[in-house]
Amino acid sequence: MEHSSDILLLTTKIKIPAPRKNYIVRQGLFEQLSKCGDMSIIFLSGGAGTGKTTLLSSFIQEKKLKNICWLSLDSANTNVYSFWLYFTAAISPFLKDEGSLFNLLRTNPDTKYMENLLIPLINQLWGDEEYYMVLDDVQYIGDEALIKTFEFFIEAMPANFHIFMLSREDPPVYLGPLAVSGRLLFIDGKQMQLTMEEGIAFLKDTMRLAGSEEELNQLNHYAEGWIGGLQLAAAAKAAGKYSGQLLRAGGGIASQYLTREIIGALTKQEQEFLIKTGYLSYFDAEICQKLFKNLTKQDFNQLMERFMEKNLFITCLDEQNGIYRYHNILSEYLKQQFLCLPDEQRAECYKITAEAFEKREDYEEALQEHCEAGNYNEVLRITKLMEGRIEAWSYLDRVPIELLFQDADLAAQCFLYNLGNINTERCHAIYEKFKELYQDSDLFRFVDFAQIYFTTKDGILPQCPALTQEQMEQIPFGPVMKGVLLIENAGALLDRMKYEEAEACILKGIKIAADLNSFIGFFAYNQLSQVYEEMGRLNDCFPCYAKSKEIMKTVNGLMGIDTNYYFGLAGVYIRRMELDQAKNVLEQVGQILNERHIHADITDMTLAYHMAEMKFLCGENDTAVTYVEGILSEYPNYSILSLGRLLYELACIDRLSEDLSERFLNELEDSKKYRQQPFMKLLRARILFQRGETEVAFKETEDILAASRLHHNKLRLAEADILKIVMLSRMPKKEGGQREINNLLVEAIHYSHKDRILMPFYLDRVTLLTLLKGLYEKSAGKQLLSSEEVSFLSDIIVICGGQTFKESSTEMLSAREQEVLSQLSLGITNREIAKNLCISQATVKTHVLSIFGKLGVSSRMMAVEKGRKDGII
């Protein structure tokens, strides 16, 4: 942990509270709790002050239970990120990763893909040792995303891990299967109530309350076994103000009662202290001395002693350092009282405590105070001090946009925060502000790259020009944002065949930012692999992905990074025609998307894209064509340019329609960025040749050959060689033509063999197979090739001869796909199908495309007809 405040804040959440002195041994409940080793969940339910925490802490001490960790929740833990951050911190003593999972969460605001991270956490908990986690005040868990991830954890957690849940309300998560299997112990509020005998013992022995038997019995009667009621009533009686105005057990105490009977019984000094400190998450003598100028440390300690004697709801978190916090009941009451103070007085308190917290480098607490006070300029200033730390971003997001844009770097951080949390409305608002202020400057580039994630206007990444080093240096970003910008810039350089510059940009981004934020390193290595893949340096891709995978172990969960990894790796396998490996990787992606509900148009379309490509490379052309038609039907907002590789594969089998050809050429003509990409030029040349514009097609191909040789792009050079061979083979024979074809073929093999670039040969196998066999059989051909190249040529021939991975095109529909097909037969929309089957619309789209592919159809009507014909529906 980089800051001492991190330890302090975590201590206030994860410290196991010591049971109060002279606690009563609740034998009946202790016997029930002794079954905890046989249970997955032990749920203690009861209203505020029913003694859940005291019961459990005394049980732990009485039974000397080992391997216990504790997490006290509050309203700050209602989101996925905060909950799992503190959960991991609390459980870290049981893990063997030396804090890597915790550090991962500290530096990454994962909210959408958190389940990805829980898998290694669960795996590390497996073992023979019994572990116990206490979650106090579970009623604060209400966020749907958090509940989903928590249910996922509970379902998968090992048998040696046990969770105590303490809650004022019913379980926020579904525990039915555990109850049926006998792995749930439920103790409700009625069971938590003290018996009359226990109530008297609590008042006499624990509270040491003096009074007649009649008075004690009256207190006990009013409280009806509610420990909190007994405590507050005893506090009122100690002040000579007891009135018996307790509500029934578990119902809480009215604010009016607290005001009249508890707060009203205190001195003015004590009242002022409580109200002026009631908004703090925690406090100590140093903080309080800032608020109260004449308060000495001795005064503070004496005040705490008096409060403890009066049984006020104050918890000592750290006796050695004198750190305290208020019980939630009292805290909520005091916060309301604090809000009744004059505005100027509240603002002064916020200012004083924020400065005190900042001085001790507890930036998060300082940010909390400034946000509450509306001191957004101070929020910006402190966030700047935190140098891109994730902990600041949620507070930064509370700053009004107009003020946020006082600093473009902070605005960019806020944009990334909302992008990571899929808050499209806020993303769009920040994007529009960037556009308004910086559209004509380089700053706009930072947000423009991400347009695809919150709008489907074009369905492709915007045409961002590459920035020069001088331009990059002029952008007022800190190291984290500079690192992201450098990695983005590599993509623009890649389009212009500036491969060395793109590589240098990425490596520079890693150097300046990866240590500050590890997810930058992950994406940087993925992007570096994209550079190498574009150049045909496929062997160099694998070390990059190995590095990404290593980093991914500590960064799982952010923005679906595992899908980025698997999609990228699958692309390399596909280039090398290693289709078994590609199939396995894509199956992992599909499993991730389905099991963890990571479904969005861009991920589902990408998966369908890869599956269609696999069909082409398995020789299942009809099924592949159906997949492409399905993608065009289900994702109409995506530009035709985004389907470039699929269009190329259609063209290779002469199945690219005139309509798609025309759409592609028109969109490409309007796109300066994509018009310059070597692959797009190759596709354009192929289309033009098929349309009879041979002269232009040849010139385009020659340009690609020249540029690829100049920039050492082995992939595009091999593809251009093969395209020229195809064109020459389909033209009238002329003198020297066969020699030129052989030379082109030798060149393609020479630049492909080391990295095993097989895919281009397979796509044009109909034209190439005879030529390849002839080259192999002729001794002259062997003289032109090295032994390694001859071996590679043999592999090409095997691949082009159809000996490839095959997957049955007649495979039956899955049970879920049959359900979707039945719904399609009703003629209803995706939205209605999703609602009926309790799945997302994106998942419906994925199933529809799979149905199209398996049935060999291209429309819903055809799918329904085929399903009825085959007896599926």
Side-chain angles (χ1 to χ4, degrees):
M1 304 181 200
E2 297 176 4
H3 298 275
S4 60
S5 60
D6 290 327
I7 299 174
L8 184 59
L9 284 176
L10 287 171
T11 300
T12 67
K13 300 279 188 180
I14 65 177
K15 186 176 179 64
I16 300 178
R20 65 184 305 158
K21 296 177 181 179
N22 304 312
Y23 59 81
I24 57 173
V25 176
R26 307 191 64 184
Q27 199 59 48
L29 291 180
F30 278 20
E31 289 179 4
Q32 290 192 60
L33 291 174
S34 295
K35 303 173 186 176
C36 59
D38 298 323
M39 303 293 164
S40 293
I41 301 293
I42 303 93
F43 195 94
L44 279 66
S45 174
T50 51
K52 302 180 294 296
T53 302
T54 300
L55 170 67
L56 194 53
S57 61
S58 59
F59 169 77
I60 290 170
Q61 179 164 306
E62 192 76 12
K63 300 298 182 180
K64 296 180 171 49
L65 208 61
K66 296 180 180 179
N67 296 330
I68 296 285
C69 60
W70 193 290
L71 173 56
S72 297
L73 302 174
D74 57 30
S75 59
N77 304 120
T78 57
N79 64 76
V80 175
Y81 172 70
S82 177
F83 175 87
W84 288 113
L85 173 68
Y86 283 102
F87 187 101
T88 307
I91 210 172
S92 59
F94 304 157
L95 306 179
K96 303 178 179 63
D97 62 356
E98 298 181 349
S100 62
L101 282 171
F102 173 71
N103 289 328
L104 153 68
L105 277 170
R106 284 188 67 254
T107 56
N108 295 281
D110 177 342
T111 56
K112 187 176 180 183
Y113 306 104
M114 181 62 70
E115 288 176 6
N116 298 359
L117 175 65
L118 298 184
I119 294 175
L121 177 61
I122 292 167
N123 289 340
Q124 288 195 52
L125 291 172
W126 280 94
D128 298 326
E129 194 82 6
E130 300 292 325
Y131 299 120
Y132 299 88
M133 160 65 88
V134 180
L135 295 177
D136 200 356
D137 284 331
V138 171
Q139 71 275 356
Y140 285 108
I141 298 178
D143 178 70
E144 289 185 3
L146 174 54
I147 289 173
K148 183 172 75 70
T149 59
F150 194 27
E151 288 179 341
F152 171 84
F153 179 90
I154 291 171
E155 184 178 353
M157 71 183 190
N160 62 303
F161 188 74
H162 316 277
I163 300 179
F164 291 90
M165 294 186 190
L166 283 57
S167 178
R168 300 181 191 177
E169 302 171 0
D170 290 337
V173 293
Y174 180 56
L175 301 176
L178 295 178
V180 172
S181 63
R183 293 183 295 132
L184 171 66
L185 175 62
F186 195 96
I187 297 176
D188 62 19
K190 190 171 185 62
Q191 293 171 284
M192 289 293 300
Q193 292 177 8
L194 298 173
T195 65
M196 292 301 292
E197 292 75 19
E198 288 174 335
I200 293 296
F202 178 80
L203 291 172
K204 288 183 175 180
D205 301 332
T206 304
M207 299 289 294
R208 299 296 178 95
L209 192 65
S212 66
E213 289 293 323
E214 182 180 352
E215 288 177 318
L216 297 182
N217 283 327
Q218 188 179 21
L219 281 175
N220 206 15
H221 174 74
Y222 279 127
E224 294 186 9
W226 179 32
I227 292 178
L230 286 173
Q231 288 178 289
L232 288 174
K237 185 179 185 304
K241 297 287 187 179
Y242 172 69
S243 63
Q245 298 298 314
L246 288 172
L247 300 180
R248 292 193 175 274
I253 295 181
S255 174
Q256 190 176 51
Y257 177 80
L258 278 169
T259 301
R260 292 180 180 178
E261 307 298 339
I262 305 298
I263 305 301
L266 302 176
T267 67
K268 291 292 184 182
Q269 180 194 22
E270 291 170 339
Q271 291 180 20
E272 182 185 13
F273 180 90
L274 290 174
I275 293 172
K276 284 192 174 181
T277 57
Y279 65 95
L280 298 172
S281 300
Y282 69 93
F283 56 89
D284 56 18
E286 182 184 3
I287 293 293
C288 294
Q289 284 176 282
K290 302 288 185 182
L291 280 171
F292 305 96
K293 299 299 182 183
N294 297 323
L295 184 72
T296 66
K297 187 170 184 179
Q298 183 178 1
D299 292 336
F300 174 82
N301 291 334
Q302 291 176 349
L303 193 57
M304 292 302 103
E305 289 178 10
R306 292 204 301 274
F307 285 154
M308 292 295 186
E309 290 172 359
K310 294 178 179 181
N311 298 301
L312 288 178
F313 284 172
I314 296 178
T315 301
C316 181
L317 296 167
D318 187 335
E319 292 184 7
Q320 184 176 352
N321 295 304
I323 301 171
Y324 297 84
R325 71 172 176 87
Y326 295 114
H327 185 281
N328 288 331
I329 295 176
L330 185 57
S331 176
E332 291 168 8
Y333 167 83
L334 293 176
K335 285 176 182 177
Q336 293 301 316
Q337 299 302 308
F338 178 77
L339 293 176
C340 294
L341 295 177
D343 292 346
E344 298 80 5
Q345 198 170 351
R346 291 202 317 275
E348 182 64 17
C349 289
Y350 283 135
K351 179 177 181 294
I352 290 171
T353 51
E355 289 175 353
F357 285 125
E358 181 182 351
K359 186 175 181 181
R360 60 173 61 175
E361 294 187 339
D362 184 350
Y363 294 130
E364 294 172 61
E365 192 68 26
L367 284 171
Q368 173 67 28
E369 313 303 342
H370 284 309
C371 279
E372 292 296 330
N375 297 330
Y376 297 121
N377 285 321
E378 290 300 297
V379 173
L380 295 176
R381 181 184 62 78
I382 294 176
T383 304
K384 196 71 174 176
L385 294 175
M386 296 178 74
E387 298 181 331
R389 284 176 58 197
I390 292 302
E391 292 88 343
W393 286 2
S394 62
Y395 299 104
L396 188 64
D397 193 43
R398 294 166 65 177
V399 178
I401 284 184
E402 292 298 329
L403 286 176
L404 180 64
F405 273 83
Q406 291 180 12
D407 189 311
D409 179 47
L410 297 182
Q413 291 182 44
C414 190
F415 178 78
L416 281 186
Y417 173 77
N418 284 280
L419 194 64
N421 285 287
I422 320 298
N423 187 349
T424 55
E425 184 177 347
R426 179 75 163 171
C427 275
H428 197 268
I430 297 174
Y431 171 85
E432 290 297 328
K433 193 64 179 179
F434 262 105
K435 188 174 182 180
E436 174 190 336
L437 297 176
Y438 306 117
Q439 184 172 13
D440 297 326
S441 75
D442 297 331
L443 273 173
F444 184 57
R445 161 67 187 275
F446 184 84
V447 296
D448 201 29
F449 87 98
Q451 228 187 107
I452 190 173
Y453 295 105
F454 55 88
T455 177
T456 57
K457 178 183 177 183
D458 298 316
I460 57 173
L461 293 178
Q463 300 176 39
C464 301
L467 301 177
T468 66
Q469 183 175 347
E470 183 179 355
Q471 287 175 303
M472 295 284 289
E473 290 174 354
Q474 294 300 316
I475 295 178
F477 279 177
V480 170
M481 297 299 106
K482 271 277 177 67
V484 175
L485 193 58
L486 280 163
I487 297 165
E488 289 177 32
N489 205 47
L493 292 167
L494 184 62
D495 295 334
R496 299 172 59 187
M497 300 184 79
K498 294 188 175 182
Y499 305 125
E500 291 182 1
E501 291 183 37
E503 183 180 17
C505 249
I506 294 171
L507 295 176
K508 186 177 180 181
I510 293 173
K511 184 177 181 180
I512 70 171
D515 288 342
L516 295 172
N517 210 317
S518 56
F519 78 79
I520 293 178
F522 173 86
F523 282 112
Y525 283 108
N526 269 22
Q527 184 68 14
L528 187 58
S529 183
Q530 294 296 312
V531 173
Y532 293 152
E533 182 181 343
E534 169 63 24
M535 296 177 69
R537 293 169 55 181
L538 302 186
N539 292 335
D540 292 331
C541 292
F542 292 111
C544 288
Y545 282 121
K547 185 68 175 177
S548 293
K549 186 176 183 179
E550 179 185 338
I551 299 173
M552 187 168 66
K553 293 176 181 177
T554 61
V555 190
N556 277 3
L558 181 67
M559 301 168 69
I561 62 172
D562 44 0
T563 61
N564 281 280
Y565 165 79
Y566 288 122
F567 279 138
L569 186 58
V572 179
Y573 285 135
I574 285 172
R575 301 280 196 194
R576 293 162 60 98
M577 292 295 291
E578 295 172 354
L579 301 183
D580 285 328
Q581 293 92 322
K583 179 175 181 286
N584 290 336
V585 169
L586 292 174
E587 285 177 349
Q588 291 182 68
V589 176
Q591 186 175 359
I592 290 169
L593 296 180
N594 287 321
E595 290 184 357
R596 300 173 193 174
H597 310 290
I598 306 173
H599 287 292
D601 276 357
I602 192 167
T603 54
D604 286 314
M605 197 273 274
T606 303
L607 180 58
Y609 186 109
H610 280 79
M611 295 306 297
E613 197 162 25
M614 287 287 288
K615 296 298 182 182
F616 278 116
L617 300 181
C618 293
E620 300 176 27
N621 292 338
D622 290 341
T623 305
V625 171
T626 301
Y627 260 87
V628 176
E629 291 172 348
I631 291 171
L632 290 167
S633 171
E634 292 298 316
Y635 301 96
N637 290 328
Y638 280 82
S639 166
I640 199 69
L641 300 181
S642 64
L643 303 181
R645 270 166 55 174
L646 296 182
L647 299 184
Y648 194 87
E649 286 147 13
L650 285 171
C652 287
I653 61 171
D654 293 322
R655 299 284 290 272
L656 184 62
S657 68
E658 185 64 30
D659 175 62
L660 286 180
S661 297
E662 193 66 27
R663 283 177 58 189
F664 172 80
L665 292 175
N666 289 337
E667 289 193 33
L668 189 62
E669 190 63 32
D670 294 334
S671 172
K672 293 180 181 179
K673 171 188 173 182
Y674 291 96
R675 180 69 180 82
Q676 299 305 313
Q677 289 182 2
F679 177 76
M680 292 297 182
K681 295 176 77 171
L682 276 169
L683 177 52
R684 181 175 183 271
R686 187 178 282 267
I687 291 173
L688 292 177
F689 180 78
Q690 291 177 345
R691 296 174 66 163
E693 300 180 39
T694 56
E695 186 176 342
V696 179
F698 264 98
K699 184 180 184 307
E700 190 88 90
T701 306
E702 289 290 354
D703 290 344
I704 299 167
L705 282 170
S708 297
R709 289 169 182 144
L710 176 65
H711 296 289
H712 309 290
N713 188 327
K714 295 185 284 186
L715 173 63
R716 303 310 173 197
L717 180 55
E719 289 175 334
D721 278 330
I722 291 170
L723 177 57
K724 189 172 181 181
I725 291 170
V726 170
M727 292 191 293
L728 288 171
S729 299
R730 297 183 183 182
M731 294 181 66
K733 303 298 182 183
K734 61 180 181 179
E735 187 178 349
Q738 188 60 47
R739 184 170 60 252
E740 184 178 5
I741 287 175
N742 281 342
N743 289 339
L744 291 168
L745 199 53
V746 166
E747 183 179 45
I749 293 170
H750 174 72
Y751 283 101
S752 299
H753 81 280
K754 287 186 178 179
D755 292 275
R756 298 192 61 77
I757 304 172
L758 284 163
M759 177 179 166
F761 296 94
Y762 180 79
L763 291 176
D764 281 304
R765 61 194 179 280
V766 174
T767 300
L768 296 179
L769 189 56
T770 301
L771 299 172
L772 291 165
K773 287 180 178 179
L775 184 63
Y776 185 80
E777 292 169 359
K778 293 178 182 179
S779 59
K782 292 184 179 180
Q783 292 171 2
L784 291 172
L785 302 173
S786 67
S787 60
E788 292 86 359
E789 290 167 348
V790 171
S791 176
F792 181 67
L793 172 57
S794 176
D795 291 341
I796 298 173
I797 293 170
V798 172
I799 290 292
C800 291
Q803 298 181 35
T804 60
F805 158 82
K806 289 285 184 180
E807 180 181 354
S808 173
S809 60
T810 59
E811 60 187 318
M812 294 299 293
L813 302 183
S814 68
R816 177 61 87 183
E817 288 166 349
Q818 291 181 41
E819 290 178 335
V820 172
L821 182 58
S822 296
Q823 293 288 309
L824 289 178
S825 69
L826 302 177
I828 59 180
T829 65
N830 282 354
R831 181 188 295 274
E832 292 170 316
I833 294 174
K835 182 178 180 181
N836 291 344
L837 299 182
C838 299
I839 56 178
S840 70
Q841 292 184 60
T843 302
V844 173
K845 287 185 177 182
T846 300
H847 288 314
V848 169
L849 290 179
S850 181
I851 291 168
F852 286 177
K854 290 179 180 180
L855 297 184
V857 299
S858 58
S859 71
R860 297 177 179 226
M861 184 178 295
M862 292 171 65
V864 172
E865 290 177 358
K866 178 72 172 172
R868 285 173 176 157
K869 181 179 178 181
D870 294 347
I872 301 174
I873 54 175

